[in-house]
Amino acid sequence: PSDGSERTGFELGAFWNINSRWTADINAAFVDSNFVGVPSNVDQIPNARDQVIGAGITFMQPQGFTASLRLRHFAEAPLTEDGSISHGDTTIVNAGLQYHFGNWRAGLEILNLFDAEDDDIAYYYASRLRGEVAPVEDIHFHPVIPFSVRVSIRWELGG
């Protein structure tokens, strides 16, 4: 439970079939979020990002080959209501290749193509490790997956 909030902004979703083989897309949100009914120096909403963007381009060959390049961007976000502690932006690029033949699909995904050392999410709170006398306030985070390659083979039942 927290104070009420007010959010204003806009979202954009666009898809463009460039030609029979190429498609581009973007989904973006630009939002201003604040608590209401509280002093303006403590009206920040922790982890409320003012920009979130997902975009990509896909190539599809009629014989079953598909390739894509995708970008995901989260802007900086406050971690405390007074905005004195924040979490930086996160930008990740992923790539994929897939080949479809009959009921089979073979795929290759490259996650975090440029090996960005960002975090998926972060929080600011007090925690205490075993052996510590008192809790310590600090940023707790979950890092993004480092550069990774995934290979998949899939067989689909039916027609």
Side-chain angles (χ1 to χ4, degrees):
S2 64
D3 297 300
S5 64
E6 179 177 270
R7 300 164 195 257
T8 57
F10 68 94
E11 294 184 26
L12 167 71
F15 298 87
W16 178 29
N17 289 323
I18 300 166
N19 59 37
S20 63
R21 295 184 181 198
W22 289 94
T23 303
D25 67 273
I26 185 168
N27 288 291
F30 302 91
V31 182
D32 183 29
S33 304
N34 296 93
F35 287 124
V36 295
V38 299
S40 62
N41 62 334
V42 289
D43 70 345
Q44 301 292 302
I45 301 173
N47 269 316
R49 299 178 185 270
D50 59 2
Q51 296 174 13
V52 176
I53 301 169
I57 188 160
T58 302
F59 173 81
M60 293 176 59
Q61 188 178 34
Q63 290 79 23
F65 174 76
T66 303
S68 65
L69 189 65
R70 305 226 31 96
L71 175 128
R72 182 191 81 182
H73 174 76
F74 295 153
E76 182 178 9
L79 295 181
T80 58
E81 287 83 355
D82 66 1
S84 63
I85 298 178
S86 62
H87 179 253
D89 62 344
T90 298
T91 303
I92 302 294
V93 176
N94 297 320
L97 298 171
Q98 191 175 83
Y99 186 72
H100 184 125
F101 47 102
N103 287 358
W104 292 89
R105 288 184 190 266
L108 175 76
E109 286 182 284
I110 302 172
L111 305 174
N112 197 357
L113 183 63
F114 301 114
D115 203 21
E117 294 183 8
D118 290 332
D119 301 321
D120 268 333
I121 190 77
Y123 303 96
Y124 184 78
Y125 58 87
S127 65
R128 188 173 77 188
L129 298 174
R130 182 175 292 150
E132 291 182 336
V133 177
V136 175
E137 290 187 332
D138 199 1
I139 296 173
H140 299 76
F141 58 90
H142 182 272
V144 298
I145 290 175
F147 175 88
S148 300
V149 176
R150 291 183 185 171
V151 176
S152 64
I153 297 177
R154 192 168 80 191
W155 179 54
E156 298 175 352
L157 298 173

